[in-house]
Amino acid sequence: MNNTQTQLLTQAVQDVMRLHPSPIIAVSGNTPTEKTYTSLQTAYHLFNKELFNGKLPHCLITMKNNNKRSYGFFASNQYANKNNTTEIVDEIALNSINFTNRTTREILSTLVHEMCHVWQYHNGKPSKGYHNKQWAVKMQAIGLIPSNTGLAGGKTTGQQMSHYILIDGLFDKASKPLLET
């Protein structure tokens, strides 16, 4: 490297350090990843407070793109902290392949559907039947009506379940601030 190249490199490093004095690069909040996951985490916190009295633990929200039949799923004890292996968190996975055909309100209702599984795992009695009676009662209490068809009149428990939103129910009211932004 000649003298001119060294000076240019030094100047470039100094410019970067002036713009980013911390060794950690500032997060802009403008990338698709930041926007998506910040929105989902904000929704999780709001719904936890409004619908679950803040009793749900933190979990990892992920995006999957692998199953057209499922809008999302819950899996307990999925991720361990590398630096603290006793810290293990659950996963809520949302299936993004289905996002294009659903409204934001419907996607948020899927997040809350999965949050009911988090609630049951930590505060209730989960059973081998993924969508059991206790889960169905909690869903109804927060304004999501379980239905195997996604419509009124469907079965309220079973392995493959959907739901519909109760107009003016707790979920409907809690989701409005998120939909207005």
Side-chain angles (χ1 to χ4, degrees), residues 18-30:
R18 186 173 30 74
L19 294 172
H20 300 287
S22 169
I24 299 172
I25 295 174
V27 176
S28 67
N30 293 323

Side-chain angles (χ1 to χ4, degrees), residues 15-155:
D15 289 345
V16 169
M17 293 303 291
R18 186 173 30 74
L19 294 172
H20 300 287
S22 169
I24 299 172
I25 295 174
V27 176
S28 67
N30 293 323
T31 70
T33 300
E34 292 165 329
K35 286 178 184 178
T36 300
Y37 283 98
T38 298
S39 296
L40 289 171
Q41 193 62 55
T42 298
Y44 184 91
H45 284 299
L46 175 91
F47 292 132
N48 187 16
K49 178 183 172 200
E50 297 295 321
L51 304 176
F52 299 92
N53 297 317
K55 293 186 178 181
L56 299 185
H58 295 291
C59 72
L60 184 64
I61 301 171
T62 61
M63 303 285 276
K64 305 287 183 177
N65 195 13
N66 59 359
N67 185 347
K68 288 185 178 182
R69 291 180 28 174
S70 172
Y71 293 138
F73 67 84
F74 162 75
S76 63
N77 301 318
Q78 292 299 297
Y79 295 95
N81 182 332
K82 179 181 170 188
N83 299 318
N84 178 2
T85 56
T86 62
E87 182 184 337
I88 301 173
V89 297
D90 305 322
E91 174 186 19
I92 289 178
L94 299 176
N95 194 353
S96 60
I97 198 168
N98 294 312
F99 281 15
T100 56
N101 299 323
R102 302 183 77 220
T103 66
T104 301
R105 183 172 173 252
E106 291 169 329
I107 294 166
L108 291 173
S109 76
T110 298
L111 174 64
V112 173
H113 172 128
E114 302 310 331
M115 290 173 73
C116 283
H117 290 295
V118 175
W119 171 84
Q120 185 175 37
Y121 181 79
H122 291 281
N123 300 289
K125 295 187 180 198
S127 64
K128 287 191 181 225
Y130 191 54
H131 302 98
N132 65 18
K133 179 79 173 164
Q134 183 185 48
W135 170 86
V137 168
K138 184 64 173 178
M139 287 277 288
Q140 291 169 358
I142 63 170
L144 296 178
I145 309 304
S147 169
N148 67 326
T149 65
L151 303 170
K155 291 172 28 178

